[in-house]
Amino acid sequence: MHLSMPKPEQHILRNRALLIERLREIVPFENVIDEETELRAYECDALTMYRQLPLVVVLPQTVEQVSKVMALANEMNVKLVPRGAGTSLSGGSLPLGDGILLGMSKFNRILDIDYANRCVQVQPGVTNLAITKAVEHEGFYYAPDPSSQIACSIGGNVGENSGGVHCLKYGLTTNNLLGLEIVLMDGSILQLGGKYLDADLYDLIGLMTGSEGLLGVITEVTVRILQKPETAQALLLGFPTIEAGADCVAAIIAAGIIPGGLEMMDNLALVAADDFQNCGYPRGAEALIVCELDGTKSEVDHLMSVVSQIAKDGGASSIEASQSNEQRMQFWAGRKNAFPAVGAIGPDYMCMDGTIPRNQLGFVLGSIKKLSKKYGLRCANVFHAGDGNMHPLILYDANKEGDMEKAEAFGADILKLSVSVGGVLTGEHGVGVEKRDLMHTMFSETDLKQQQRVKCAFDPQHRLNPGKVFPTLHRCAELGKMHVHKGKLPFPEIPRF
Amino acid sequence: MKILAPETEKDVAEIVSAALSQNTPVDIVGAGSRAGLGRPASGDIAVSMAGLSGVTLYEPSELVLTAGAGTPLSTITALLSEQGQELAFEPMDHGPLFGGSRHAGTLGGMVAINASGPRRIKAGAARDHLLGFRAINGRGEVFQSGGRVMKNVTGYDMCKLMAGSYGTFGILSEITLKVMPRAQTELTLLVVGLDESSAIEVMTSVSGLSHEVSGFAHLPLMNAGFSSPAPADLPSKPLTALRLEGPEPSVQARKHKLVKFLADRGYQIEFLDRSASRSFWAGLRDGVSFAGTKEQIWRISSVPTRGAQLVEDLLARGVGVNAHYYDWAGGLIWLAVAPGEDAHAPAIRDVVERHSGHATLIRASDEVRSRVPVFHPQPTALAGLTKRLRISFDPQLILNRGRVREDL
Ligand SMILES: Cc1cc2nc3c(=O)[nH]c(=O)nc-3n(C[C@H](O)[C@H](O)[C@H](O)COP(=O)(O)OP(=O)(O)OC[C@H]3O[C@@H](n4cnc5c(N)ncnc54)[C@H](O)[C@@H]3O)c2cc1C
């Protein structure tokens, strides 16, 4: 595994004792973790192939503490990595040996539930699922539902702009936020939005969402909550070929239907899921679609029959409708546990996350099959079919010499393939360190420099989560330089327009 | 002022580079239908984007469309409607409000102001549907971000920044949008005769039901001189409007439930059928009530349940409110005030801040808009960040200089 991170800065390592002492002036003694045995718990996120002990872990409890820690880091020129629950699949919260790891786990309170204005204000360490749990007795829920929702924090969801199986219809994190409180590297505390829609001018909430902890630390989040649909029903559609499954997805959307969930799995994934959860999947199918329709009873009845007919016309080998809420949950259980299920046949797996134009699905899956032969590694496919977000799960054995390197090369090939058909490197898991070095396949140097200039507006010294997202770090002063040569582009030339 | 009409992205980049070398500010013009928004244009040159027009990709079953930023919005809507699709965020047409013609705007203008409409509460604004773009920044460089796929977190979400930046981050040259199937049908229920705080209560309680209402508005009685977007044969009383959209059976089922809910509470109800409903919401969205009037217009975004109290507080402060109405279940207030030198800005903004939210001056003379901050003034730290961001795209403030703030 070759991952080059920014060189540890000697002055930071030398000043560790002083830094720890000063951090303890800001937060209670035990909230600064500096013993190696305890630091181990923080050495990686869910991209476990990369590990690094942090310089020190700080667990602040108030926004004032966050502000002071950041101002101190700025003053002492120390790097800082924000961490929520550490479930990132791209290494977004991978620690730095010369950086403070700022753990947000103590920010775990729900601050305000406002049903009348359909929003909830929470601290960033609250888990995704806890928000829904807190409001469901009133018939509300928080829509974005990543499979990791029991564990992942809402702050991390904002950091990654996480999605879930319901985001085709209800949007990603970015479509469900109203307000943020953030702290910049200089310690300044900013309120963005509140319980109302639209930014006053620039959409900073939109920019913060998916910024992978590179722009500021999120200390409060106001999310929108939705009324639970009156009813929901799911269909399990089996197909003899992947192409037939992909065509069916296109036909459903072409018919003007946006299902609450529209997911697909290939045979390897669906059998693994069925073994893991015993969810009644058609084990002989080459492709399985889980399609959930929600809304009023009459609407769902109507759509269930339309979608079943589309599936029938598209040559489905099996069509099964959920007959109860329990059965609907059972249909989903396999899909939602697909990662651990594939993990069980692994022994290890690497999860890719490219998004492609949906009409390229057949071609891309065919190519993945060829790559799978070439590398001699199996690949199970799970995807958010409605929006073309694929999760090829590459199976390998970390204990086998060279297997992991092969998996990494296989993964990179899949991502390059995604980009070459008009897709993108990552649909919801983030760039982190994992896809950092592939950014050039999607962006020109000009594109990347413009993004880094945005970073400079927030964090001119590159102290916040450096080494993530961008393949090369440019100094802000260098990025800001203008190459205007007076007279070289004389104004009189313009009139030809 | 000199108007330049580039035909390619490269032309645009050359214009910006040339302007940069002379430190000459450039104003960006789509169709000019929203020229009245923001502070008055002050550049020495204007770039008309009309030449960068045309749809280059439209795949209905993929829900995606790409077009030049200068493409007329009317071209897009017509194309989409042939396939039973639409822009789900219902972009407001500013034509009527500014005394111009309808359907004149371009795609670029729509994105640059982050347009939205009554469905904002359910479907979002332009920001939520912008999948990708190409643009020319204030350094004369062509850059792009996003893509053509529905889900993408590769790099910063620059789409969110471009939407609502009023051209101060870049001149949009190409835009890729998510498009959606248009609802098969719609109808609107009108609750007649509610006062403003009862109307807000009704909208709040309905928004807590699972009937998927896609428009919540309240129209108090309008003074003479202002025309209501509602059909003329309705009783001349305040109207609280609730819109249902979707497949026919679903709309009917929800209608029955909603009628029962409202009737049980003793409310008088009227109905707008599909076509009446369409024109009602379009009129409400475009501010037709204010068309042709002399008033200064404000747009206030605040906490929905605070709407009625906010307006009451404005009146108590002596703000000369001549007409107003609510959208977004009370979260959006359109205000027409008696023309004043300061457009009542200090009082309006003070009241809005007490309730939380922001107030934008939408219509006033050039002279007033160059003196009174058009966008809500920001606290110091935020104002500083706003400026640094602006400079990160356009260090010499070449693009739309002064359009959003005097020092930007
Ligand atoms: C089994 C499994 C299933 C998953 N399924 C999905 C899925 O369906 N959809 C999906 O989108 N993702 C999924 N993920 C990925 C992951 O759960 C999400 O990215 C999640 O949002 C990360 O949240 P976290 O709290 O763990 O954040 P972390 O991993 O701790 O951090 C994520 C990023 O956000 C930053 N960050 C965290 N907190 C803050 C803060 N308060 N302020 C500023 N920056 C911060 C970090 O620096 C880092 O860059 C899955 C992961 C696993 C392990």
Side-chain angles (χ1 to χ4, degrees):
Chain A
M1 150 196 66
H2 279 294
L3 177 68
S4 72
M5 294 302 282
K7 273 211 185 65
E9 294 172 20
Q10 291 309 315
H11 77 94
I12 300 179
L13 303 178
R14 268 199 309 275
N15 284 329
R16 181 169 188 258
L18 175 66
L19 175 70
I20 290 169
E21 191 187 312
R22 293 196 55 188
L23 285 169
R24 288 196 163 126
E25 288 165 9
I26 300 172
V27 301
F29 188 91
E30 63 277 14
N31 290 11
V32 176
I33 297 169
D34 60 345
E35 295 285 337
E36 185 178 334
T37 46
E38 290 176 72
L39 289 175
R40 280 274 164 236
Y42 296 92
E43 70 178 356
C44 66
D45 54 23
L47 184 71
T48 52
M49 50 174 59
Y50 303 117
R51 289 166 196 266
Q52 167 66 52
L53 279 189
L55 182 70
V56 54
V57 173
V58 186
L59 306 174
Q61 286 165 300
T62 65
V63 62
E64 289 73 26
Q65 290 175 357
V66 172
S67 161
K68 284 183 185 156
V69 169
M70 294 179 76
L72 174 66
N74 212 31
E75 177 204 319
M76 293 182 67
N77 205 21
V78 175
K79 299 168 189 171
L80 190 137
V81 177
R83 175 183 164 111
T87 68
S88 166
L89 289 166
S90 54
S93 42
L94 176 72
L96 297 173
D98 59 345
I100 298 170
L101 188 75
L102 189 78
M104 298 301 286
S105 57
K106 294 197 184 291
F107 277 74
N108 56 6
R109 284 186 304 129
I110 293 182
L111 302 172
D112 178 25
I113 300 180
D114 185 346
Y115 294 110
N117 290 303
R118 300 164 296 281
C119 59
V120 178
Q121 198 183 359
V122 297
Q123 292 189 319
V126 169
T127 62
N128 173 294
L129 189 61
I131 300 178
T132 291
K133 289 279 177 219
V135 298
E136 66 184 356
H137 62 282
E138 291 283 338
F140 285 89
Y141 73 115
Y142 174 60
D145 56 343
S147 307
S148 51
Q149 67 185 148
I150 313 175
C152 64
S153 73
I154 191 71
N157 289 178
V158 177
E160 302 284 12
N161 188 16
S162 300
V165 298
H166 286 98
C167 64
L168 177 65
K169 184 165 175 186
Y170 297 104
L172 304 150
T173 305
T174 189
N175 311 110
N176 289 279
L177 293 180
L178 287 176
L180 291 182
E181 179 185 76
I182 62 169
V183 184
L184 302 188
M185 205 53 219
D186 64 4
S188 55
I189 302 169
L190 270 57
Q191 306 293 336
L192 308 176
K195 291 184 178 180
Y196 49 87
L197 291 163
D198 284 355
D200 51 1
L201 180 56
Y202 299 145
D203 187 355
L204 299 178
I205 296 179
L207 173 64
M208 285 302 296
T209 311
S211 63
E212 305 197 28
L214 266 71
L215 300 180
V217 171
I218 296 149
T219 49
E220 223 173 85
V221 185
T222 304
V223 301
R224 304 177 74 188
I225 49 172
L226 299 179
Q227 185 67 34
K228 274 222 162 103
E230 186 182 296
T231 184
Q233 210 177 348
L235 280 165
L236 273 191
L237 311 170
F239 289 89
T241 63
I242 286 277
E243 287 72 19
D247 288 347
C248 179
V249 168
I252 292 171
I253 291 184
I257 301 169
I258 304 292
L262 190 56
E263 299 285 308
M264 196 159 137
M265 285 181 266
D266 71 1
N267 183 268
L268 189 53
L270 77 90
V271 170
D274 198 52
D275 285 340
F276 195 75
Q277 283 286 327
N278 192 14
C279 30
Y281 287 171
R283 302 172 64 98
E286 280 305 313
L288 175 68
I289 293 177
V290 187
C291 174
E292 180 165 295
L293 297 155
D294 61 7
T296 54
K297 176 88 178 57
S298 51
E299 176 169 6
V300 172
D301 287 348
H302 169 70
L303 294 178
M304 286 289 285
S305 67
V306 177
V307 173
S308 301
Q309 191 58 47
I310 291 174
K312 200 177 284 171
D313 295 344
S317 47
S318 67
I319 299 178
E320 193 182 354
S322 66
Q323 299 304 323
S324 64
N325 227 15
E326 289 68 45
Q327 198 182 14
R328 180 174 67 88
M329 299 314 274
Q330 190 196 342
F331 285 2
W332 279 118
R335 167 61 189 92
K336 287 219 170 191
N337 287 294
F339 292 6
V342 169
I345 60 168
D348 299 293
Y349 73 90
M350 218 172 81
C351 173
M352 308 317 298
D353 176 43
T355 308
I356 54 167
R358 228 180 329 87
N359 58 19
Q360 298 292 325
L361 208 57
F363 169 73
V364 170
L365 288 172
S367 309
I368 290 179
K369 227 178 214 160
K370 282 186 206 138
L371 287 169
S372 170
K373 279 218 183 76
K374 173 179 157 197
Y375 286 100
L377 294 174
R378 289 182 299 166
C379 180
N381 283 288
V382 175
F383 22 82
H384 305 297
D387 42 35
N389 184 197
M390 325 209 318
H391 291 318
L393 302 165
I394 301 170
L395 299 166
Y396 69 100
D397 183 350
N399 291 322
K400 213 154 124 196
E401 181 80 26
D403 233 27
M404 186 161 105
E405 286 72 16
K406 268 200 279 177
E408 282 181 310
F410 186 177
D413 279 354
I414 294 178
L415 293 183
K416 285 179 202 156
L417 177 69
S418 305
V419 174
S420 74
V421 298
V424 300
L425 294 173
T426 169
E428 57 180 15
H429 294 165
V431 176
V433 294
E434 191 201 26
K435 298 150 204 126
R436 184 193 69 186
D437 297 333
L438 292 172
M439 288 289 271
H440 283 299
T441 60
M442 244 182 92
F443 295 111
S444 71
E445 193 58 24
T446 310
D447 301 336
L448 288 174
K449 282 192 169 161
Q450 183 55 63
Q451 294 197 32
Q452 285 189 281
R453 279 188 208 104
V454 167
K455 160 88 169 160
C456 294
F458 286 78
D459 173 25
Q461 301 302 324
H462 285 312
R463 295 293 87 181
L464 205 47
N465 219 358
K468 316 289 172 70
V469 183
F470 299 108
T472 1
L473 283 181
H474 296 284
R475 287 181 38 240
C476 290
E478 177 200 331
L479 287 165
K481 269 192 205 133
M482 288 280 280
H483 305 280
V484 181
H485 304 292
K486 268 212 182 298
K488 199 181 165 196
L489 283 164
F491 201 56
E493 278 188 2
I494 286 184
R496 68 191 169 85
F497 291 105
Chain B
M1 193 206 285
K2 190 186 266 157
I3 298 182
L4 304 175
E7 279 175 11
T8 65
E9 192 174 77
K10 196 163 157 274
D11 292 347
V12 179
E14 276 178 27
I15 292 174
V16 175
S17 297
L20 204 52
S21 71
Q22 312 276 326
N23 192 13
T24 304
V26 174
D27 290 328
I28 311 159
V29 182
S33 73
R34 295 179 169 109
L37 281 181
R39 299 181 72 252
S42 63
D44 301 335
I45 339 171
V47 185
S48 161
M49 295 302 288
L52 277 78
S53 171
V55 176
T56 48
L57 173 115
Y58 176 35
E59 290 184 16
S61 77
E62 302 256 323
L63 307 176
V64 61
L65 176 142
T66 302
T71 312
L73 193 54
S74 54
T75 308
I76 305 286
T77 357
L79 184 68
L80 292 176
S81 113
E82 278 169 27
Q83 299 292 328
Q85 296 190 327
E86 66 177 357
L87 298 175
F89 53 99
E90 280 187 289
M92 173 175 181
D93 179 350
H94 286 77
L97 201 59
F98 290 121
S101 58
R102 269 182 173 278
H103 312 299
T106 61
L107 207 53
M110 175 193 83
V111 170
I113 67 145
N114 188 30
S116 66
R119 216 185 279 126
R120 171 78 177 87
I121 42 166
K122 190 161 180 271
R127 76 182 285 278
D128 298 286
H129 299 257
L130 180 63
L131 299 176
F133 68 86
R134 296 176 60 84
I136 296 88
N137 66 14
R139 310 166 68 95
E141 300 163 344
V142 178
F143 71 108
Q144 54 96 25
S145 199
R148 54 155 296 188
V149 293
M150 297 296 138
K151 264 169 93 183
N152 177 10
V153 295
T154 323
Y156 296 137
D157 192 345
M158 307 283 273
C159 290
K160 299 292 180 291
L161 276 185
M162 296 308 285
S165 64
Y166 288 80
T168 56
F169 289 155
I171 304 182
L172 288 161
S173 52
E174 186 187 86
I175 287 165
T176 300
L177 289 169
K178 175 179 178 176
V179 300
M180 290 298 256
R182 185 178 193 161
Q184 195 184 75
T185 189
E186 70 173 82
L187 66 80
T188 294
L189 277 70
L190 296 169
V191 183
V192 182
L194 298 181
D195 64 37
E196 295 175 36
S197 61
S198 316
I200 300 276
E201 272 172 43
V202 168
M203 292 193 286
T204 302
S205 49
V206 170
S207 74
L209 305 173
S210 54
H211 302 329
E212 293 187 30
V213 173
S214 68
F216 298 86
H218 178 70
L219 293 161
L221 262 195
M222 302 246 174
N223 287 337
F226 296 92
S227 55
S228 165
D233 58 345
L234 285 173
S236 149
K237 286 187 175 168
L239 298 172
T240 310
L242 304 168
R243 178 173 60 181
L244 296 171
E245 296 175 291
E248 185 66 40
S250 162
V251 169
Q252 286 307 325
R254 285 181 285 152
K255 172 187 166 188
H256 290 304
K257 287 188 185 145
L258 205 47
V259 166
K260 179 162 182 343
F261 177 86
L262 297 167
D264 283 353
R265 284 158 184 76
Y267 297 128
Q268 181 195 339
I269 309 168
E270 299 278 348
F271 299 93
L272 299 180
D273 66 11
R274 178 173 154 164
S275 80
S277 174
R278 282 223 172 119
S279 66
F280 172 81
W281 290 99
L284 183 105
R285 175 194 69 197
D286 300 343
V288 292
S289 302
F290 304 153
T293 64
K294 293 275 172 298
E295 273 70 8
Q296 291 164 335
I297 310 294
W298 285 87
R299 181 182 187 268
I300 298 171
S301 176
S302 182
V303 185
T305 52
R306 299 284 187 82
Q309 187 61 49
L310 196 155
V311 171
E312 228 170 83
D313 292 353
L314 289 173
L315 294 170
R317 282 287 293 266
V319 175
V321 179
N322 288 352
H324 68 288
Y325 62 91
Y326 305 83
D327 197 351
W328 302 352
L332 178 68
I333 304 168
W334 284 100
L335 213 59
V337 298
E341 263 182 38
D342 61 359
H344 311 272
I348 291 175
R349 288 194 162 130
D350 184 50
V351 169
V352 170
E353 277 167 30
R354 279 164 207 268
H355 288 279
S356 153
H358 53 85
T360 310
L361 179 57
I362 299 289
R363 191 179 76 186
S365 67
D366 280 4
E367 196 273 318
V368 169
R369 282 183 297 115
S370 55
R371 248 183 322 102
V372 176
V374 163
F375 294 97
H376 206 101
Q378 298 175 322
T380 319
L382 184 55
L385 178 60
T386 297
K387 175 139 198 180
R388 294 197 298 280
L389 260 178
R390 163 82 160 115
I391 288 172
S392 76
F393 286 89
D394 182 5
Q396 290 190 21
L397 311 181
I398 290 291
L399 310 175
N400 277 355
R401 185 183 291 176
R403 185 81 186 258
V404 296
R405 208 166 78 189
E406 198 172 358
D407 65 325
L408 292 183

